[in-house]
């Protein structure tokens, strides 16, 4: 009985994470759960969800040697079933979309977002594609638009006193070095077109960090 109950909890966790972060590989998915799950157990839950038609193997473009990625099923009826399981409104239920070339970046964002949730349980951690759903976050963007390239990967909203606005910290995850013009455009967007209280950049190596420093100095 305990195993059945645990599987139910884990199933909902997996569905929720795939909805929030898009397609993920098995190792990252298992690591993103709270508490983390053994890959073998995670694979069993995914198999069960696939058999129920709620999860599918992601067959679009995959990076070289990427292994298997999994995503939520996409038909209208399947989305309705998932929304009901997660106790969300089926009419407004949507799912994170990640372009094939951005899968690895999406995974890193997922890991950081889930880590930040565990680090700051009282804060709200919001991914880029859901910023418009949260008024206290959306209102911080002076010129909000649908160009996700100009939005931060993650925003952490910290509650303060009742008469104060929340403290908003953006988190940018940089895996690869981008062109200087693109970096400058993003930096200016975050600094000049938002009311964020701070921006944290997470860089894969020193060279990426140095390129960002030069972009800030431009």
């Amino acid at each position: 009985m305990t195993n059945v109950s645990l599987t139910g909890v884990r199933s909902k966790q997996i569905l929720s994470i795939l909805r929030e972060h898009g397609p993920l590989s098995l190792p990252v998915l298992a690591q993103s759960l709270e508490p983390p799950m053994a890959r073998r157990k995670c694979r069993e839950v995914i198999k069960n969800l696939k058999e129920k038609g709620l999860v599918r193997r992601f067959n679009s473009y995959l990076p070289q040697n990427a292994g298997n990625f999994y995503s939520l099923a996409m038909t209208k009826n399947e989305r309705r079933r998932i929304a009901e399981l997660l106790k969300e409104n089926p009419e407004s239920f949507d799912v994170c979309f990640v372009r094939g070339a951005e899968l690895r970046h999406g995974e890193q964002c997922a890991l950081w977002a889930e880590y930040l949730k565990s680090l700051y349980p009282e804060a709200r951690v919001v991914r880029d594609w859901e910023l418009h759903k949260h008024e206290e976050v959306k209102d911080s963007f002076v010129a909000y638009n649908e160009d996700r390239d100009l939005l931060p990967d993650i925003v952490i909203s910290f509650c303060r006193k009742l008469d104060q606005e929340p403290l908003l910290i953006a988190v940018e995850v940089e895996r690869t070095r981008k062109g200087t013009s693109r970096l400058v455009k993003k930096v200016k967007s975050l600094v000049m077109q938002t009311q964020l209280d701070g921006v944290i950049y997470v860089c894969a190596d020193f060279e990426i960090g140095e390129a960002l420093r030069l972009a800030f100095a431009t």
Side-chain angles (χ1 to χ4, degrees):
M1 182 66 67
T2 301
N3 289 338
V4 173
S5 176
L6 178 61
T7 300
V9 170
R10 291 305 210 177
S11 294
K12 292 178 181 178
Q13 279 187 320
I14 288 174
L15 293 174
S16 180
I17 286 177
L18 291 177
R19 184 206 69 82
E20 182 176 357
H21 302 300
L24 298 173
S25 63
L26 177 65
V28 171
L29 184 54
Q31 186 178 345
S32 299
L33 296 171
E34 182 58 39
M37 194 177 191
R39 295 185 189 181
R40 179 178 61 83
K41 291 291 186 180
C42 188
R43 186 180 291 108
E44 291 175 2
V45 178
I46 289 175
K47 180 181 178 181
N48 184 44
L49 291 171
K50 285 175 61 182
E51 291 173 350
K52 292 179 179 179
L54 302 178
V55 167
R56 64 183 179 89
R57 184 173 294 176
F58 187 75
N59 294 320
S60 298
Y61 168 84
L62 292 175
Q64 188 175 7
N65 301 321
N68 293 327
F69 274 66
Y70 299 93
S71 65
L72 295 184
M74 303 299 287
T75 70
K76 183 176 180 179
N77 288 337
E78 290 161 343
R79 284 194 180 193
R80 178 174 292 277
R81 290 171 59 199
I82 295 169
E84 291 172 350
L85 282 171
L86 297 180
K87 301 187 184 305
E88 296 193 26
N89 182 359
E91 302 304 321
S92 58
F93 183 75
D94 51 8
V95 177
C96 176
F97 171 78
V98 178
R99 294 170 293 190
E102 297 293 325
L103 285 174
R104 290 302 192 197
H105 178 259
E107 286 200 314
Q108 289 302 307
C109 290
L111 288 171
W112 275 103
E114 295 305 318
Y115 172 69
L116 291 167
K117 288 178 187 178
S118 67
L119 197 61
Y120 304 110
E122 301 303 318
R124 187 196 301 272
V125 178
V126 186
R127 286 293 309 274
D128 52 358
W129 71 280
E130 290 193 294
L131 293 177
H132 67 284
K133 295 182 178 180
H134 303 276
E135 290 301 322
E136 83 279 12
V137 177
K138 176 183 175 181
D139 289 347
S140 71
F141 294 88
V142 176
Y144 174 78
N145 58 64
E146 297 298 328
D147 188 351
R148 282 177 61 182
D149 286 338
L150 298 181
L151 296 175
D153 294 318
I154 302 165
V155 171
I156 316 170
S157 176
F158 295 94
C159 291
R160 296 197 278 189
K161 295 180 180 179
L162 293 178
D163 60 342
Q164 290 182 305
E165 296 294 324
L167 180 71
L168 300 175
I169 305 296
V171 179
E172 275 289 295
V173 180
E174 297 291 344
R175 290 187 60 253
T176 59
R177 182 169 179 173
K178 297 180 175 65
T180 301
S181 61
R182 183 178 175 187
L183 283 175
V184 170
K185 184 179 181 181
K186 183 64 171 282
V187 167
K188 286 184 176 180
S189 171
L190 294 176
V191 173
M192 301 176 64
Q193 297 182 7
T194 75
Q195 296 174 355
L196 294 168
D197 297 290
V199 181
I200 298 173
Y201 271 86
V202 180
C203 303
D205 57 43
F206 174 80
E207 289 186 358
I208 296 174
E210 181 64 11
L212 282 166
R213 185 188 68 80
L214 294 175
F216 270 101
T218 300

